[in-house]
Amino acid sequence: ILNFQRKDTYKMKHFSGEFHELVAAIPQYGVLGNVCLLWFPEAERVVGLRAVTVMEHLFYDSLVNLQASMEYYGNLLNLRRNVPLVLDEDRIFLPVKVRKPLFKNDGAYGFVRLDMVASVKDYELCLWDGRKISSLMKAPMLREIVSRGVLLEKVVSRSVPL
């Protein structure tokens, strides 16, 4: 069990073993302030952490260096920002802008697992289980982000040489 504590809030506990099934991490404004809605195949959970912090913990628990992964795959795609997060060939998370930041250093991007994306519409990402994620991006940009993830999936599975 990992204990996370934010200033002036109660302790938040969750099991790192459930992280391997994570479908999406979506930032929201809640009672605790800047919180993150975690979507799992069967449930949802609100955690008092930022979406990026949730991804950092996921990568840390899987013994993968998040910064090195972003730098390596960002160089492959010639990107500096909004690089898909590659944990392994089964878990690639796409950055999707889901809200407008209210203040400096406020996270606007959520992360959605590539293999759960069924279709893309304007301002909406549809998942295989029927859930929909509202976005601030139009369909062409969302399709581009998904195609970057598919390309990285091929590179990670070594079906495309580097």
Side-chain angles (χ1 to χ4, degrees), residues 84-131:
L85 305 180
V86 179
L87 193 56
D88 54 31
E89 63 184 51
D90 297 326
R91 294 183 289 175
I92 298 174
F93 291 91
L94 306 174
V96 178
K97 190 168 184 177
V98 294
R99 68 179 182 186
K100 187 169 181 171
L102 294 181
F103 48 88
K104 185 178 177 182
N105 296 328
D106 186 17
Y109 284 84
F111 299 95
V112 181
R113 199 161 145 176
L114 173 65
D115 60 350
M116 293 299 292
V117 176
S119 65
V120 171
K121 299 177 185 173
D122 274 346
Y123 307 109
E124 192 173 73
L125 208 61
C126 301
L127 305 181
W128 285 111
D129 58 4
R131 292 186 276 189

Side-chain angles (χ1 to χ4, degrees), residues 1 8 11 16 21 25 40 44 47 56 74 86 95 104 142 151:
I1 296 177
D8 303 325
K11 284 188 178 181
S16 61
E21 297 177 352
F40 296 98
E44 295 179 0
V47 181
E56 287 172 355
V86 179
K104 185 178 177 182
L142 288 172
L151 178 64

Side-chain angles (χ1 to χ4, degrees), residues 20-70:
H20 73 278
E21 297 177 352
L22 184 66
V23 173
I26 303 167
Q28 292 182 339
Y29 296 112
V31 177
L32 297 175
N34 191 7
V35 298
C36 182
L37 178 64
L38 302 179
W39 282 6
F40 296 98
E42 301 293 326
E44 295 179 0
R45 179 180 297 171
V46 176
V47 181
L49 300 170
R50 300 178 308 136
V52 174
T53 306
V54 169
M55 299 311 290
E56 287 172 355
H57 286 294
L58 174 62
F59 274 67
Y60 182 81
D61 289 345
S62 301
L63 303 176
V64 177
N65 187 339
L66 177 63
Q67 294 300 323
S69 174
M70 287 178 61

Side-chain angles (χ1 to χ4, degrees), residues 142-154:
L142 288 172
R143 276 191 222 101
E144 183 179 333
I145 290 171
V146 170
S147 67
R148 289 176 189 162
V150 170
L151 178 64
L152 286 183
E153 184 178 36
K154 290 178 182 176

